[in-house]
Every structure is written in C-alpha cells, then in structure tokens.
Amino acid sequence: MKQKILVIYAGGTIGMQASAQGYVPVAGFERQVRQQLNDERAAQLPAFDMLELDQLIDSSNLQPHHWCELAGIIQQRWQQYDGFVLLHGTDTMAYTASMLSFMLQGIDKPVIVTGSQIPLAELRNDALDNLLTALIFAGQYSIPEVCICFNGRLLRGNRSRKLKSAALDAFDSPNYGHLGQAGINITLHAERLLAVGRANFNIPELNPDAVVVLPVYPGMSASVAKAILNDNAVKGCVLQTYGAGNPPDANSELMRVLEEAIKRGVSIVNVTQCLQGEVNQGAYATGATLNRLGVIAGSDLTLEAAFTKLHYLIATEPQAHIGALMVKPLCGEMA
Ligand code: ASP
C-alpha cells in the first residue's frame, strides 16, 4: 500500500512571497505545490495531505510555544500517517528539529523538517527539490527519528546547524555523519540511525524565560552575566565558551556570578563556540574552574540541542536530575 505522509506548513521562506518590506509568509502553499506537480510526477511520490498553520511565521519569530503546537499536531495525527514532513523557516529550523527530537522520543517513523533558501514562488528555487526529497525520504525509507533534509543531505535533527546564510547547502551536522544523501542515487546510512523505538511523546508546557544563552567574549564583564542570570524565571543557561570549553576564569567576579547562579538552582551547561569538536572541561586550568563551580560539561552538543534539551528537562524533570540527564544521550544528540 502506498505510504501516506502529512506535510505541515508552518511558514518560512519556502512559501514566502515578496512584499514591499521583503519576503513574508503567505497562505495557500498547497495550491502552489500541487500546481508544480502533474499527475505523472505526483504518482511517483508518496501520497500526502497538507496542513497549513493559521499563523504562518518567519521562523525568526519562533517562540517555545510553537514547539508544543507543532509536536501536538504530529502527536494527534501519529496513527493516521506513515511519516511527517514539516516545512519550516531555516533561521530556527535546527532549534525546532532538536526540540521535536526530545518531545517525540522513540518514534518508529520519520519526522523530516525542511524548508528552502529561495521561495517556491521564485523561478529559480530550492524549494521544490527540498520538499520532494523530504517526501521521498519520509515515504520510502525507514527512518525512526527527527531529521533535517536540505540540499540533498539527510541530517540528524538534533545534530544540525544552519551554517550558511546564502548558500543552498545551508545545513550540516559538523559532529555527526550525514544520515543520507540524495545525489544521482539516494543513499541512507542505516547504521547511523537511531534504533526503532516505542513512541514516547512528552510535550510539556514551556516557560520562554526559563533558558538563556551566555556567550563569553574578550572583555566580558560580570555585570553582563549578572543581568542575564539574576532573574528568578531563569532555570537554565547555555554557556558558550572558547575551544575545549574554556572561560575567562581570571575574571573571578564573573566566576562568582556563575557559582551563585548554580547555588540558586540554575543549571549551567557548557558548550563550545567552535563548530566542531567537544567540551573537555579540565583539559585546561581555565576549563577546570568550571568543574569546581558545578557547570555541566555539554560534550559535543550544538547550541540548539543544548538550549532545547535544557528547556525540555526543566519542564519535565526535577532540578536534581538535570545535571545527570544533560550528560546522557536521550536521542542521539551527543556522543
Ligand atoms: N527568515 C526565514 C525563516 O526562517 C528564513 C528561511 O526560511 O530561510 O523563516
């Protein structure tokens, strides 16, 4: 029997049109897509229904509640479809793919996120190819995880990052091999996929103020960290340090601000500002300082995976469990 896929259009460049203010999302994407597919082409694809959100967004405006809405749409229709394709803006696509991987753990069918750098409405575009490739991966392959499919690459969602703002190969997963490629032939690296699980959905309410990001930089003052961390709503912080996880520890006032936040119950997770490699908190004396303060070493988590995992754990687990769970892979997000 032919597979049936649900395509969810949430917004993003793929369905945008030019306006006096620049590109904006517009309703009616399904009509645009069906116009591009004649019967013969459609017959070669998995069958698909399309659902368009009432409030389409440029994903720069994404809020944590959008993750709950998107995961809820998928959960409600889980039994009706063999796979899901989510059309999403590229700017925050890696955040959404990461969060969906935590909310939809143990899935036994594909959830493939895609979008494009050029709208379908433009003569020359990457929209149709990304959509068709995502549909083919979702409908014809056994992929039990949340992925990003972009420019012929199939990537683990929670390992992906948007690395290029203008090129068509915008996404990559610098710390994990590609799950598949669509070149002349389509290849799936089944050995890199997660094991088939039992769907275990958990879609908690998220407090948008609960997690903050704090990048270190030369000359950073303790007052900047204080302003960000001294808010009672803040329960988690992704600290982006240099190289192997090194902070400017000579700034003892800054270190004190971090330590005080940890004592108040804020979970601080250290990730590297480098694109590739991992945090080795203690390779240098500067990094070892963070061990003494109780900062959680984030291994090779991307910023997006660390941020969404913290949000997810804060909303679902007691604070005492967060440190241990942050360093444990839940769904392939870290080594
Ligand atoms: N600003 C757009 C968005 O993220 C960019 C894109 O889709 O490529 O929605």
Side-chain angles (χ1 to χ4, degrees):
M1 214 184 66
K2 206 167 172 177
Q3 302 290 92
K4 185 105 189 239
I5 306 300
L6 180 64
V7 179
I8 302 160
Y9 177 50
T13 296
I14 191 164
M16 287 192 183
Q17 281 176 16
S19 78
Q21 287 77 38
Y23 283 131
V24 287
V26 288
F29 189 63
E30 176 165 14
R31 191 175 29 83
Q32 279 192 65
V33 171
R34 305 259 182 215
Q35 270 169 3
Q36 304 264 339
L37 296 174
N38 57 32
D39 290 350
E40 199 186 319
R41 297 186 86 195
Q44 295 174 53
L45 285 171
F48 65 93
D49 292 335
M50 218 184 248
L51 185 157
E52 187 165 284
L53 297 202
D54 292 337
Q55 296 284 320
L56 298 169
I57 58 164
D58 180 313
S59 78
S60 317
N61 283 319
L62 182 92
Q63 296 285 327
H65 70 82
H66 289 115
W67 295 322
C68 306
E69 283 154 28
L70 292 169
I73 289 172
I74 295 171
Q75 181 183 33
Q76 277 162 21
R77 293 155 182 86
W78 190 251
Q79 300 304 338
Q80 287 159 251
Y81 292 94
D82 301 296
F84 295 80
V85 171
L86 171 62
L87 305 178
H88 192 287
T90 60
D91 287 344
T92 54
M93 186 182 287
Y95 286 91
T96 294
S98 296
M99 182 52 102
L100 290 180
S101 77
F102 298 119
M103 290 181 165
L104 310 175
Q105 285 180 54
I107 55 177
D108 59 356
K109 45 181 103 161
V111 173
I112 300 193
V113 189
T114 193
S116 69
Q117 293 279 65
I118 311 175
L120 182 63
E122 300 288 346
L123 174 65
R124 196 178 58 79
N125 69 76
D126 56 336
L128 192 62
D129 190 54
N130 284 347
L131 170 60
L132 298 189
T133 308
L135 271 170
I136 289 168
F137 271 122
Q140 298 178 2
Y141 293 82
S142 174
I143 302 170
E145 54 178 291
V146 178
C147 303
I148 285 182
C149 179
F150 214 92
N151 196 51
R153 289 179 182 152
L154 186 72
L155 309 170
R156 173 160 297 160
N158 58 33
R159 295 288 198 145
S160 301
R161 306 204 75 184
K162 182 176 180 182
L163 299 185
K164 298 182 184 176
S165 64
L168 300 187
D169 60 339
F171 285 85
D172 209 333
S173 53
N175 273 332
Y176 198 72
H178 297 175
L179 302 181
Q181 277 96 30
I184 290 178
N185 298 308
I186 294 185
T187 316
L188 184 71
H189 298 289
E191 74 286 359
R192 294 184 187 150
L193 296 174
L194 293 177
V196 177
R198 238 169 173 269
N200 173 23
F201 298 139
N202 193 351
I203 308 173
E205 218 175 286
L206 301 170
N207 177 354
D209 299 323
V211 183
V212 294
V213 179
L214 188 60
V216 303
Y217 52 87
M220 180 185 190
S221 74
S223 57
V224 167
K226 208 182 266 173
I228 289 180
L229 290 166
N230 279 7
D231 175 335
N232 279 340
V234 173
K235 305 284 179 237
C237 169
V238 182
L239 181 70
Q240 290 183 292
T241 59
Y242 305 122
N246 305 317
D249 77 331
N251 185 339
S252 49
E253 180 60 11
L254 173 61
M255 296 300 109
R256 205 175 52 77
V257 171
L258 297 181
E259 189 174 22
E260 279 172 9
I262 292 167
K263 287 202 175 124
R264 283 199 312 273
V266 178
S267 302
I268 302 186
V269 179
N270 183 12
V271 300
T272 175
Q273 293 178 9
C274 295
L275 276 184
Q276 215 161 26
E278 62 187 11
V279 160
N280 183 357
Q281 211 168 264
Y284 294 83
T286 46
T289 301
L290 296 182
N291 284 331
R292 285 197 292 281
L293 303 185
V295 170
I296 303 159
S299 180
D300 60 351
L301 284 170
T302 62
L303 163 67
E304 294 86 342
F307 182 82
T308 53
K309 187 173 178 179
L310 257 180
H311 252 301
Y312 175 78
L313 291 178
I314 286 165
T316 55
E317 297 286 338
Q319 199 264 331
H321 295 178
I322 291 176
L325 289 167
M326 275 310 297
V327 299
K328 180 179 161 198
L330 301 182
C331 44
E333 75 279 11
M334 66 201 300

